[in-house]
Amino acid sequence: MSKQYAVIGLGRFGMSVGVNLAAQGHEVLGIDSNEALVHDASSVLTHVIQADATDEEALKAMGLRNFDGVIVAIGSDLEASILVTLLLKEMGAPLVIAKASTELQGRVLQKIGADRVVYPERDMGARVAHSLVASNILDSIELSPKYSILEVEAPPQLCGKTLKELNLRNRYSVTVLAIKRDNSIMASPKAEDLIMSGDILVVIGPHDGFRNLEKLK
């Protein structure tokens, strides 16, 4: 189901998150005070607004409390990031995710209300996007703009069937590299191996294939 997200700050990290969310079929509003960044984003995001997010009235006018989530991806301006995060929580935004450059900044942002703090050096945009919209995805490694390796909880529709029966490679173009079950790892599983409830699947494939898998939750 399509959701609504807003990304405040359209630098490299903000754009990466926004583009990945849009690619997954969600509506994305991009906000930045930089006219050039807003112009560049207009062709890839659903909506864009040139505005100063630290302006309380301007922020309220955007209706962000009705969005499923807001990503505060403002650059190195910690003061602006803190102010915007505070304003969003005061407005009732249900999920605010703030970017931080250091652990100290992260602790400050959490104390003033950020629901989650991410560190671009460790959390790529694709990983954040996946974690926002797919609760059964535990981790991801982006190999290229189109391919990733994911750790995903086995959807109920896959349980009780063998890999041969599921035929995931032909149906979704994804390949199961390993199955984690309890405290053991089954590497290079065979076609007759059964998927069981509680299994963690390590899969590789294109993002399009993963989107179809996510619908099986």
Side-chain angles (χ1 to χ4, degrees):
M1 188 176 72
S2 178
K3 295 183 178 181
Q4 283 187 312
Y5 295 100
V7 178
I8 300 175
L10 299 177
R12 183 184 301 176
F13 177 71
M15 277 299 294
S16 180
V17 176
V19 167
N20 277 280
L21 285 169
Q24 292 174 46
H26 301 283
E27 291 188 35
V28 182
L29 168 64
I31 304 161
D32 202 293
S33 59
N34 185 302
E35 182 180 1
L37 293 178
V38 169
H39 179 268
D40 290 343
S42 62
S43 61
V44 289
L45 302 184
T46 316
H47 308 286
V48 291
I49 295 176
Q50 182 182 351
D52 177 3
T54 62
D55 182 332
E56 185 173 359
E57 294 306 314
L59 204 61
K60 283 182 178 178
M62 297 176 200
L64 298 181
R65 67 177 181 176
N66 299 316
F67 281 57
D68 294 283
V70 182
I71 299 89
V72 182
I74 297 171
S76 57
D77 188 344
L78 178 60
E79 184 179 349
S81 186
I82 289 172
L83 179 57
V84 171
T85 300
L86 275 171
L87 290 173
L88 288 168
K89 294 311 292 183
E90 287 176 358
M91 291 174 197
L95 176 65
V96 177
I97 296 168
K99 166 189 169 183
S101 300
T102 67
E103 294 286 347
L104 178 59
Q105 289 181 6
R107 290 201 299 271
V108 172
L109 289 165
Q110 284 181 318
K111 284 186 180 298
I112 55 97
D115 298 290
R116 196 184 311 169
V117 174
V118 294
Y119 303 86
E121 292 78 11
R122 302 191 314 224
D123 299 300
M124 294 188 302
R127 181 178 302 182
V128 176
H130 279 304
S131 70
L132 281 172
V133 299
S135 59
N136 64 332
I137 290 180
L138 305 178
D139 198 8
S140 68
I141 300 172
E142 189 174 49
L143 302 176
S144 75
K146 293 184 178 180
Y147 282 82
S148 291
I149 295 175
L150 301 187
E151 277 192 8
V152 57
E153 295 176 9
Q157 290 89 335
L158 303 188
C159 298
K161 299 178 182 177
T162 66
L163 291 175
K164 182 177 181 179
E165 289 175 313
L166 293 170
N167 197 19
L168 297 177
R169 185 177 295 178
N170 286 334
R171 290 173 65 194
Y172 303 117
S173 300
V174 303
T175 300
V176 178
L177 301 177
I179 299 172
K180 295 183 178 181
R181 182 175 299 156
D182 298 326
N183 294 320
S184 63
I185 298 178
M186 189 188 308
S188 300
K190 299 178 177 61
E192 61 270 18
D193 285 328
L194 200 68
I195 301 295
M196 299 174 62
S197 179
D199 282 354
I200 304 298
L201 309 180
V202 182
V203 292
I204 185 172
H207 299 159
D208 286 345
F210 292 138
R211 283 198 289 276
N212 290 328
L213 268 182
E214 287 164 12
K215 295 174 184 177
L216 295 177
K217 289 191 295 181

